[in-house]
Amino acid sequence: MLSHDIPLPPPYRIRVVEPIPFLSPRERREAIAAAGYNPFNLRADQITVDLLSDSGTGATSSAQEAAAAVGDESYAGARSWFRFRDEAADLTGYPHLLPVHQGRAGERVLFSSLLRPGQICVSNTHFDTTHANVELAGAEPRDLPCPEAADLDSAEPFKGNIDLAALEQTLAGPDGPRVGLVLLTITNNGLGAQPVSMANLTAVQAICRRFGVPFFLDAARFAENAWLVREREDGYQELTPREIATRAFQLADGCVISLKKDGLTAIGGLIGLRDDDLFARCEANLIATEGFSTYGGLSGRDLERLAQGLREVVDPAYLAARAGQTARFARMINDAGVDTIQPAGIHALYLNAGRLLPHLSPAEFPGHSLGCQLYLDGGIRSAELGSLYLGTLDAGNRLVSPAPFELVRLAIPRRVYTEEHFLYAAAVLGAIAKDPERIRGYRIVSAPPVLRHFKVRLAPLE
Ligand SMILES: Cc1ncc(COP(=O)(O)O)c(C=O)c1O
């Protein structure tokens, strides 16, 4: 802050820009119909403001591109690997680090080396690919979000926490011996981008030690979690975001990270480990499936961008500007008459579509309807996080049990959009909120058995 509480602008200026398309309403109608009404099937050049994901969609800096220009592409032992490894080791404190091309590759390598069929992985909330990779390892993903998470409107600061009492009960109960891993997602992407407190992480460490269960972090947004800890949790105001992130990593036995988020790059991931035997198993798996352990499917140029990105992402000025941008976007949307999960996190806002469209039942997929309308009216792409994503279907693809909430996620790419893009998106939403009854529901035409939302096809209801 400057004097008089004037917020500082982002600590960068923009010198390379990319044009974005503006399609006509008719072109958008045709595009979404041809995509089977699934925004994942749209072409990126049919989208005006793309809020589908914050993953790999950020802008790199001039320093990252300068570093990439001197990337070392040696097959083994490249200089770029050591630069990246040293940065990641300094940040996380883990003695063993393995590079992977993205988060889910790290999940596959870790889970297939750590979990045995029939075991349980307990989490605050598994992200979709994490859930799928636990199941592919033959294990059962089990979510134990804290009770505060169920109230979308409350201002509780750490609704990303795991339910400590439920975790202890699970470990002490009949299923306890089957728990092979406790995995905390920071921040909780499946549940409103809500952060996990250091107190919760510390308590989970103590419980896991008592029961002898490995405790890992899914740390895709480690810097954003650290920023929210600094803002919201007593005792952390004097620490830098980097110091807070390091303390979080120190509490866990290891981590898996998609660096497409807080690595500030288009691609990349990391596994961090303390255990020597687990490292040996993961390394063997990595070499067979991802690449040698000094590149893991990444180019030297990627590793250079990542090493620099890990420095830039914990800059307090960057994090303050990004958190401020999301908070302002949330206020614009709320003022336009649409509720979002409170309090706003950083990487995304979650629209309460169930509340906005009460005339649609969960079986008519209100979150999906709102997402399609955002595209039809404004060329805005979003992601449904409701019954289409989480509900249970019967053999005829009809909804049997709905998701707890009908949400739409607006993910915010890092360093990409300006205030005007957010004003535009909020205005499109505001127009929808003025006449929500005109929005129709959808039915599923075809759906794949796993990770349905990526490839499902739908049709509007008459
Ligand atoms: C919390 C979390 N874990 C894991 C992943 C998977 O990472 P990736 O997309 O790099 O495979 C994501 C991606 O969005 C995520 O948000």
Side-chain angles (χ1 to χ4, degrees), residues 55 102-104 107 127 129 185 189 218 221 258 260-261:
S55 182
Q102 67 181 95
R104 70 199 71 181
E107 291 163 3
F127 184 64
T129 60
T185 311
N189 185 18
D218 175 352
R221 300 175 182 86
S258 166
K260 299 175 68 172
K261 287 83 171 170

Side-chain angles (χ1 to χ4, degrees), residues 312-335:
E312 293 177 10
V313 79
V314 287
D315 172 9
Y318 158 75
L319 285 166
R322 177 156 165 82
Q325 185 180 53
T326 306
R328 283 193 301 282
F329 189 26
R331 275 197 297 277
M332 292 173 204
I333 292 173
N334 299 155
D335 290 349

